[in-house]
mmCIF file of all heavy atoms in Angstrom:
data_model
loop_
_atom_site.group_PDB
_atom_site.id
_atom_site.type_symbol
_atom_site.label_atom_id
_atom_site.label_comp_id
_atom_site.label_asym_id
_atom_site.label_seq_id
_atom_site.Cartn_x
_atom_site.Cartn_y
_atom_site.Cartn_z
ATOM 1 N N VAL B 176 15.853 8.922 -11.255
ATOM 2 C CA VAL B 176 14.804 8.539 -12.051
ATOM 3 C C VAL B 176 14.691 7.036 -11.889
ATOM 4 O O VAL B 176 15.517 6.341 -12.167
ATOM 5 C CB VAL B 176 15.042 8.913 -13.697
ATOM 6 C CG1 VAL B 176 13.844 8.611 -14.415
ATOM 7 C CG2 VAL B 176 15.427 10.360 -13.704
ATOM 8 N N VAL B 177 13.395 6.669 -11.618
ATOM 9 C CA VAL B 177 13.033 5.238 -11.423
ATOM 10 C C VAL B 177 12.143 4.789 -12.511
ATOM 11 O O VAL B 177 11.951 3.511 -12.640
ATOM 12 C CB VAL B 177 12.539 4.861 -10.037
ATOM 13 C CG1 VAL B 177 13.518 5.125 -8.853
ATOM 14 C CG2 VAL B 177 11.300 5.790 -9.640
ATOM 15 N N SER B 178 11.522 5.634 -13.220
ATOM 16 C CA SER B 178 10.688 5.258 -14.408
ATOM 17 C C SER B 178 10.350 6.690 -15.053
ATOM 18 O O SER B 178 10.498 7.751 -14.592
ATOM 19 C CB SER B 178 9.432 4.580 -13.985
ATOM 20 O OG SER B 178 8.621 5.312 -13.130
ATOM 21 N N ASP B 179 9.931 6.473 -16.362
ATOM 22 C CA ASP B 179 9.545 7.727 -17.101
ATOM 23 C C ASP B 179 8.682 8.558 -16.202
ATOM 24 O O ASP B 179 7.559 8.048 -15.832
ATOM 25 C CB ASP B 179 9.048 7.476 -18.339
ATOM 26 C CG ASP B 179 10.169 6.950 -19.471
ATOM 27 O OD1 ASP B 179 11.291 6.838 -19.055
ATOM 28 O OD2 ASP B 179 9.664 6.516 -20.470
ATOM 29 N N GLY B 180 8.977 9.862 -16.093
ATOM 30 C CA GLY B 180 8.075 10.727 -15.308
ATOM 31 C C GLY B 180 8.083 10.586 -13.789
ATOM 32 O O GLY B 180 7.353 11.312 -13.158
ATOM 33 N N LYS B 181 8.971 9.815 -13.205
ATOM 34 C CA LYS B 181 8.936 9.670 -11.766
ATOM 35 C C LYS B 181 10.442 9.694 -11.165
ATOM 36 O O LYS B 181 11.357 8.939 -11.586
ATOM 37 C CB LYS B 181 8.328 8.320 -11.431
ATOM 38 C CG LYS B 181 8.192 8.030 -9.967
ATOM 39 C CD LYS B 181 7.518 6.701 -9.663
ATOM 40 C CE LYS B 181 6.066 6.703 -9.976
ATOM 41 N NZ LYS B 181 5.509 5.421 -9.601
ATOM 42 N N LEU B 182 10.562 10.476 -10.099
ATOM 43 C CA LEU B 182 11.854 10.530 -9.360
ATOM 44 C C LEU B 182 11.522 9.950 -8.038
ATOM 45 O O LEU B 182 10.489 10.104 -7.341
ATOM 46 C CB LEU B 182 12.271 11.927 -9.305
ATOM 47 C CG LEU B 182 12.823 12.717 -10.513
ATOM 48 C CD1 LEU B 182 12.762 14.243 -10.312
ATOM 49 C CD2 LEU B 182 14.138 12.168 -10.954
ATOM 50 N N ARG B 183 12.558 9.372 -7.415
ATOM 51 C CA ARG B 183 12.611 8.901 -6.179
ATOM 52 C C ARG B 183 13.692 9.565 -5.202
ATOM 53 O O ARG B 183 14.817 9.655 -5.612
ATOM 54 C CB ARG B 183 12.907 7.428 -5.989
ATOM 55 C CG ARG B 183 12.948 6.835 -4.646
ATOM 56 C CD ARG B 183 12.837 5.284 -4.655
ATOM 57 N NE ARG B 183 11.655 4.901 -5.081
ATOM 58 C CZ ARG B 183 11.312 3.624 -5.746
ATOM 59 N NH1 ARG B 183 12.313 2.823 -5.773
ATOM 60 N NH2 ARG B 183 10.127 3.436 -6.037
ATOM 61 N N PHE B 184 13.182 10.072 -4.126
ATOM 62 C CA PHE B 184 14.073 10.942 -3.288
ATOM 63 C C PHE B 184 14.201 10.119 -1.972
ATOM 64 O O PHE B 184 13.105 9.802 -1.379
ATOM 65 C CB PHE B 184 13.430 12.339 -2.984
ATOM 66 C CG PHE B 184 14.028 13.187 -1.844
ATOM 67 C CD1 PHE B 184 15.361 13.117 -1.791
ATOM 68 C CD2 PHE B 184 13.270 13.822 -1.005
ATOM 69 C CE1 PHE B 184 16.010 14.039 -0.742
ATOM 70 C CE2 PHE B 184 13.842 14.625 -0.110
ATOM 71 C CZ PHE B 184 15.191 14.774 0.118
ATOM 72 N N THR B 185 15.421 9.979 -1.371
ATOM 73 C CA THR B 185 15.580 9.321 -0.212
ATOM 74 C C THR B 185 16.635 9.927 0.670
ATOM 75 O O THR B 185 17.607 10.548 0.159
ATOM 76 C CB THR B 185 16.240 7.805 -0.493
ATOM 77 O OG1 THR B 185 15.477 7.122 -1.271
ATOM 78 C CG2 THR B 185 16.370 7.105 0.881
ATOM 79 N N VAL B 186 16.363 10.141 1.963
ATOM 80 C CA VAL B 186 17.259 10.683 3.023
ATOM 81 C C VAL B 186 17.170 9.760 4.145
ATOM 82 O O VAL B 186 16.195 9.224 4.645
ATOM 83 C CB VAL B 186 16.777 11.936 3.545
ATOM 84 C CG1 VAL B 186 17.822 12.490 4.459
ATOM 85 C CG2 VAL B 186 16.686 13.081 2.344
ATOM 86 N N GLU B 187 18.453 9.269 4.569
ATOM 87 C CA GLU B 187 18.490 8.379 5.719
ATOM 88 C C GLU B 187 19.810 8.738 6.520
ATOM 89 O O GLU B 187 20.753 9.212 5.986
ATOM 90 C CB GLU B 187 18.521 6.918 5.304
ATOM 91 C CG GLU B 187 19.618 6.545 4.321
ATOM 92 C CD GLU B 187 19.351 5.053 3.971
ATOM 93 O OE1 GLU B 187 18.618 4.390 4.578
ATOM 94 O OE2 GLU B 187 20.113 4.710 2.852
ATOM 95 N N GLY B 188 19.774 8.596 7.811
ATOM 96 C CA GLY B 188 20.818 8.805 8.662
ATOM 97 C C GLY B 188 20.421 9.181 10.152
ATOM 98 O O GLY B 188 19.215 9.570 10.295
ATOM 99 N N ALA B 189 21.234 9.011 11.075
ATOM 100 C CA ALA B 189 20.955 9.273 12.558
ATOM 101 C C ALA B 189 19.718 8.503 12.912
ATOM 102 O O ALA B 189 18.889 8.961 13.739
ATOM 103 C CB ALA B 189 20.808 10.753 12.710
ATOM 104 N N GLY B 190 19.492 7.348 12.392
ATOM 105 C CA GLY B 190 18.349 6.403 12.798
ATOM 106 C C GLY B 190 17.075 6.864 12.280
ATOM 107 O O GLY B 190 15.983 6.299 12.701
ATOM 108 N N LYS B 191 17.034 7.742 11.244
ATOM 109 C CA LYS B 191 15.800 8.185 10.671
ATOM 110 C C LYS B 191 15.892 7.987 9.134
ATOM 111 O O LYS B 191 16.889 7.878 8.496
ATOM 112 C CB LYS B 191 15.592 9.692 10.896
ATOM 113 C CG LYS B 191 15.403 10.027 12.267
ATOM 114 C CD LYS B 191 15.647 11.458 12.656
ATOM 115 C CE LYS B 191 17.162 11.672 12.926
ATOM 116 N NZ LYS B 191 17.403 13.173 13.452
ATOM 117 N N HIS B 192 14.660 7.829 8.479
ATOM 118 C CA HIS B 192 14.529 7.574 7.000
ATOM 119 C C HIS B 192 13.315 8.259 6.509
ATOM 120 O O HIS B 192 12.303 8.181 6.974
ATOM 121 C CB HIS B 192 14.536 6.046 6.943
ATOM 122 C CG HIS B 192 14.376 5.567 5.416
ATOM 123 N ND1 HIS B 192 15.500 5.183 4.787
ATOM 124 C CD2 HIS B 192 13.251 5.544 4.629
ATOM 125 C CE1 HIS B 192 15.105 4.826 3.473
ATOM 126 N NE2 HIS B 192 13.731 5.125 3.416
ATOM 127 N N PHE B 193 13.591 8.926 5.307
ATOM 128 C CA PHE B 193 12.445 9.443 4.559
ATOM 129 C C PHE B 193 12.693 9.073 3.142
ATOM 130 O O PHE B 193 13.795 9.113 2.569
ATOM 131 C CB PHE B 193 12.429 11.009 4.597
ATOM 132 C CG PHE B 193 11.452 11.678 3.709
ATOM 133 C CD1 PHE B 193 10.078 11.675 4.168
ATOM 134 C CD2 PHE B 193 11.673 12.129 2.581
ATOM 135 C CE1 PHE B 193 9.118 12.311 3.403
ATOM 136 C CE2 PHE B 193 10.787 12.762 1.703
ATOM 137 C CZ PHE B 193 9.531 12.871 2.149
ATOM 138 N N GLU B 194 11.446 8.549 2.432
ATOM 139 C CA GLU B 194 11.552 8.213 1.088
ATOM 140 C C GLU B 194 10.280 8.557 0.344
ATOM 141 O O GLU B 194 9.198 8.291 1.011
ATOM 142 C CB GLU B 194 11.807 6.830 0.930
ATOM 143 C CG GLU B 194 12.039 6.220 -0.475
ATOM 144 C CD GLU B 194 12.332 4.816 -0.620
ATOM 145 O OE1 GLU B 194 13.452 4.451 -0.085
ATOM 146 O OE2 GLU B 194 11.586 4.044 -1.042
ATOM 147 N N ALA B 195 10.317 9.247 -0.768
ATOM 148 C CA ALA B 195 9.040 9.476 -1.536
ATOM 149 C C ALA B 195 9.314 9.517 -2.940
ATOM 150 O O ALA B 195 10.475 9.897 -3.454
ATOM 151 C CB ALA B 195 8.617 10.932 -1.050
ATOM 152 N N ASP B 196 8.352 9.091 -3.735
ATOM 153 C CA ASP B 196 8.294 9.117 -5.224
ATOM 154 C C ASP B 196 7.506 10.464 -5.677
ATOM 155 O O ASP B 196 6.450 10.705 -4.881
ATOM 156 C CB ASP B 196 7.749 7.905 -5.804
ATOM 157 C CG ASP B 196 8.583 6.745 -5.791
ATOM 158 O OD1 ASP B 196 9.742 6.831 -5.207
ATOM 159 O OD2 ASP B 196 8.112 5.564 -6.014
ATOM 160 N N PHE B 197 8.019 11.090 -6.583
ATOM 161 C CA PHE B 197 7.158 12.250 -7.065
ATOM 162 C C PHE B 197 7.143 12.338 -8.524
ATOM 163 O O PHE B 197 8.111 11.988 -9.195
ATOM 164 C CB PHE B 197 7.442 13.463 -6.330
ATOM 165 C CG PHE B 197 8.985 13.909 -6.405
ATOM 166 C CD1 PHE B 197 9.484 14.598 -7.407
ATOM 167 C CD2 PHE B 197 9.805 13.404 -5.465
ATOM 168 C CE1 PHE B 197 10.843 14.880 -7.541
ATOM 169 C CE2 PHE B 197 11.140 13.754 -5.417
ATOM 170 C CZ PHE B 197 11.724 14.531 -6.644
ATOM 171 N N GLU B 198 6.160 12.846 -9.093
ATOM 172 C CA GLU B 198 5.935 12.974 -10.539
ATOM 173 C C GLU B 198 6.708 14.110 -11.058
ATOM 174 O O GLU B 198 6.493 15.289 -10.556
ATOM 175 C CB GLU B 198 4.377 13.013 -10.817
ATOM 176 C CG GLU B 198 3.533 12.019 -10.198
ATOM 177 C CD GLU B 198 3.939 10.550 -10.697
ATOM 178 O OE1 GLU B 198 4.352 10.468 -11.973
ATOM 179 O OE2 GLU B 198 3.782 9.705 -9.935
ATOM 180 N N SER B 199 7.400 13.965 -12.099
ATOM 181 C CA SER B 199 8.263 14.943 -12.779
ATOM 182 C C SER B 199 8.196 14.493 -14.315
ATOM 183 O O SER B 199 9.142 13.831 -14.677
ATOM 184 C CB SER B 199 9.657 15.208 -12.232
ATOM 185 O OG SER B 199 9.576 15.852 -10.965
ATOM 186 N N ASP B 200 7.346 15.092 -15.045
ATOM 187 C CA ASP B 200 7.078 14.596 -16.347
ATOM 188 C C ASP B 200 8.287 14.689 -17.356
ATOM 189 O O ASP B 200 8.395 13.930 -18.320
ATOM 190 C CB ASP B 200 5.834 15.214 -17.068
ATOM 191 C CG ASP B 200 4.521 14.774 -16.327
ATOM 192 O OD1 ASP B 200 4.486 13.749 -15.627
ATOM 193 O OD2 ASP B 200 3.532 15.426 -16.568
ATOM 194 N N GLY B 201 9.197 15.614 -17.102
ATOM 195 C CA GLY B 201 10.274 15.897 -17.949
ATOM 196 C C GLY B 201 11.405 14.837 -17.885
ATOM 197 O O GLY B 201 12.340 14.832 -18.708
ATOM 198 N N TYR B 202 11.395 14.065 -16.807
ATOM 199 C CA TYR B 202 12.529 13.048 -16.493
ATOM 200 C C TYR B 202 12.175 11.635 -17.180
ATOM 201 O O TYR B 202 11.049 11.126 -16.889
ATOM 202 C CB TYR B 202 12.627 12.945 -15.005
ATOM 203 C CG TYR B 202 13.339 14.242 -14.377
ATOM 204 C CD1 TYR B 202 12.481 15.336 -14.291
ATOM 205 C CD2 TYR B 202 14.711 14.215 -14.175
ATOM 206 C CE1 TYR B 202 13.103 16.488 -13.789
ATOM 207 C CE2 TYR B 202 15.219 15.454 -13.573
ATOM 208 C CZ TYR B 202 14.465 16.562 -13.480
ATOM 209 O OH TYR B 202 15.057 17.699 -13.024
#
Side-chain angles (χ1 to χ4, degrees):
V176 185
V177 292
S178 62
D179 286 354
K181 184 180 291 184
L182 288 166
R183 176 165 295 158
F184 171 43
T185 304
V186 181
E187 56 187 346
K191 293 162 281 190
H192 180 95
F193 174 82
E194 184 174 295
D196 290 351
F197 52 90
E198 307 300 324
S199 292
D200 290 346
Y202 288 74

